[in-house]
Amino acid sequence: MKLQRLIHHYAKDLSELDLEILHYIVEHTDEVINLSILNLAERVHSSKSSILRLTKKMGFSGYSEFKYFLRHEQQHLLVEESEKQIYAKQLDDIQRTLDYIRSVDLQPINELLSKSKTIYCYSTGFSQKKPLEEFSKMMLSLEKRVLILPNKTELDMAMPMITSDDCFMITSVSGETEKVKENLTTFTMRQIPVISITASGNNYFARNSTHHLNYYCSPFTIGKKHSEVISLITLHCLIDYMYRSYGIYQLTEG
């Protein structure tokens, strides 16, 4: 039970002095959890016995148990605040990504997808590959051939088969994966159109592709080990938006 609820619950048993002490505790909880009963008594110009009686009126065995309750409540509030920040980052990333993609003219990309015989897709990481796999399945309903290249070895093997009548789509977080830069250089030389999709920011993939789209993914800290991670839910949103946009393009062009 939170302190404010406790005060309300025991209000009829509390004196004016009790309420004054509690007002100080509510306003200075961060300090009180580290104060002895004598130190607190000095701060509120009261006595040790008055504070002890107050804690017992509120159902505690004594001041030590009351301080434990305050410390636990503070920790809970910190966790709640951390949760709010984590969810706020998620919503902010999604909103920023959707605002961005709505501001982009997707007509040139839709035209490229339409004229491409095969859309070759590659991701620089496992998590980035998942939205491409969904894209491949969804594009079947629009009668477009999408081929996922699952690893760098197969990308290199497929290079001679990819022509300027196709297009190449790559997803990444950093857009700086060294082992793929040579492939992009080759695509540029052979005039094969490339659509790169990376996290926001200036990067090699963005500078060396025909079309570039970005998404937002703010890192956040989570778990017992305080691991810093990112979520690629916004990449899924962007890929889904691209699919819908191309579907609408087919309607209007057909």
Side-chain angles (χ1 to χ4, degrees):
M1 185 181 289
K2 292 184 177 181
L3 181 58
Q4 296 283 10
R5 292 179 191 168
L6 272 181
I7 295 171
H8 177 74
H9 183 74
Y10 291 103
K12 63 182 184 299
D13 302 319
L14 301 175
S15 66
E16 287 295 322
L17 176 59
D18 292 333
L19 291 173
E20 288 178 11
I21 294 171
L22 286 169
H23 176 73
Y24 181 89
I25 291 171
V26 169
E27 293 297 315
H28 303 87
T29 306
D30 289 342
E31 299 174 25
V32 172
I33 58 178
N34 295 310
L35 294 178
S36 68
I37 191 169
L38 289 174
N39 292 146
L40 178 58
E42 290 177 5
R43 296 282 186 95
V44 297
H45 308 292
S46 184
S47 65
K48 172 183 173 180
S49 57
S50 295
I51 294 173
L52 191 57
R53 281 195 299 270
L54 167 61
T55 60
K56 290 187 175 181
K57 282 182 186 179
M58 297 181 70
F60 298 98
S61 61
Y63 182 66
S64 295
E65 187 181 1
F66 178 65
K67 275 212 314 181
Y68 176 82
F69 166 81
L70 290 180
R71 187 174 291 110
H72 180 74
E73 184 181 46
Q74 283 297 95
Q75 290 172 345
H76 182 69
L77 289 173
L78 287 173
V79 169
E80 284 186 343
E81 184 61 29
S82 177
E83 286 179 356
K84 287 179 184 177
Q85 291 175 357
I86 288 172
Y87 291 129
K89 282 186 176 183
Q90 179 192 54
L91 292 174
D92 184 57
D93 283 342
I94 292 171
Q95 190 60 60
R96 291 171 72 192
T97 299
L98 291 177
D99 288 344
Y100 161 77
I101 194 66
R102 289 186 188 120
S103 72
V104 174
D105 180 11
L106 292 177
Q107 182 73 8
I109 292 178
N110 288 330
E111 290 175 355
L112 173 59
L113 296 177
S114 179
K115 72 178 185 180
S116 296
K117 290 182 178 179
T118 302
I119 303 166
Y120 290 88
C121 293
Y122 177 79
S123 66
T124 58
F126 178 79
S127 297
Q128 297 93 292
K129 184 165 68 174
K130 287 297 181 182
L132 287 181
E133 290 174 347
E134 288 300 311
F135 180 71
S136 175
K137 293 175 186 176
M138 293 188 295
M139 291 294 275
L140 285 174
S141 66
L142 302 178
E143 300 180 338
K144 286 304 299 184
R145 185 184 181 208
V146 178
L147 183 62
I148 305 293
L149 301 170
N151 52 57
K152 179 62 162 61
T153 300
E154 295 199 23
L155 168 59
D156 292 339
M157 290 174 62
M159 291 293 288
M161 296 184 291
I162 305 173
T163 73
S164 57
D165 291 327
D166 306 311
C167 77
F168 179 76
M169 190 159 82
I170 183 168
T171 56
S172 174
V173 176
S174 68
E176 294 287 347
T177 307
E178 286 294 331
K179 64 181 182 179
V180 186
K181 290 181 179 180
E182 184 178 345
N183 298 87
L184 292 187
T185 301
T186 301
F187 286 137
T188 300
M189 182 182 65
R190 294 177 56 203
Q191 297 184 330
I192 295 171
V194 174
I195 303 170
S196 65
I197 303 172
T198 71
S200 60
N202 183 26
N203 58 70
Y204 185 89
F205 288 6
R207 295 190 301 270
N208 291 273
S209 55
T210 315
H211 303 286
H212 174 250
L213 299 172
N214 65 56
Y215 57 94
Y216 293 85
C217 55
S218 304
F220 57 96
T221 303
I222 201 167
K224 291 181 179 179
K225 294 184 178 180
H226 301 278
S227 303
E228 186 174 88
V229 297
I230 60 170
S231 166
L232 296 182
I233 188 172
T234 48
L235 176 55
H236 285 267
C237 289
L238 188 149
I239 293 290
D240 184 80
Y241 195 100
M242 285 181 65
Y243 162 72
R244 293 168 190 253
S245 175
Y246 181 66
I248 293 169
Y249 171 85
Q250 279 196 342
L251 281 175
T252 56
E253 294 299 311

